[in-house]
Amino acid sequence: MNKLLYDIHNCCVVELPRIHNPAGNITIVQNGQHQLFGIKRVYYLYDVPGGSERGGHAHRSLYQLVIAASGSFDVILDDARNKKIVNLNRPYFGLLIVPGIWREIVNFSSGAICLVLASEKYNADDYIRDYCVFKETKNLYVDRS
Ligand code: TYD
């Protein structure tokens, strides 16, 4: 299946393993122990000023797992036909975002940390940053399928 054919229903929240400890919990994401994708890059957003919005793009082939490592935020997922909003507010839940999905991240709580595990190293050519181009690209593939 062409990755640009994915829709928002292919994005899902996964519960990550937790090791409880009265002195503080641990959550682990390890290649080979989940069926999501191989992790090649990790980055995180922090010091996000109140009212800021991040994202505002889609990826052609990148898979990502987005985790609210601290605090909370909303992720708006859009496949050019349907939208859904996912609130992330626990460090043991990850939102799988497949390729071909426009995402915006909004409503960051104070001190929120958005941790992202990604399937590929950074590649500027993998981004679609223009919403009109995104819609046209999606419609092209959906109409052909
Ligand atoms: P971008 O992905 O647009 O951020 P967001 O979606 O969170 O708003 O990236 C912002 C800038 O950082 C952009 O100039 C590209 C750069 N960047 C890298 O150089 N490497 C990376 O791994 C990431 C995620 C971004």
Side-chain angles (χ1 to χ4, degrees), residues 1 3-12 55-64 75-84 95-104 126 128 131 134 138:
M1 172 169 145
K3 290 177 179 173
L4 286 164
L5 281 173
Y6 281 129
D7 64 36
I8 55 170
H9 305 295
N10 298 116
C11 299
C12 58
H57 62 255
H59 285 282
R60 295 176 188 279
S61 49
L62 190 72
Y63 293 78
Q64 291 169 303
V75 185
I76 305 169
L77 301 171
D78 176 348
D79 61 16
R81 302 212 162 185
N82 295 296
K83 287 188 186 192
K84 73 176 171 185
L95 170 63
L96 172 68
I97 306 183
V98 295
I101 304 293
W102 189 269
R103 91 290 310 277
E104 285 167 21
D126 192 62
I128 303 174
Y131 190 75
F134 169 70
K138 289 292 279 188

Side-chain angles (χ1 to χ4, degrees), residues 41 43 45 54-55 57 122 127 129:
R41 177 167 52 116
Y43 64 92
L45 307 175
R54 302 295 303 246
H57 62 255
Y122 177 72
Y127 282 72
R129 291 192 179 276

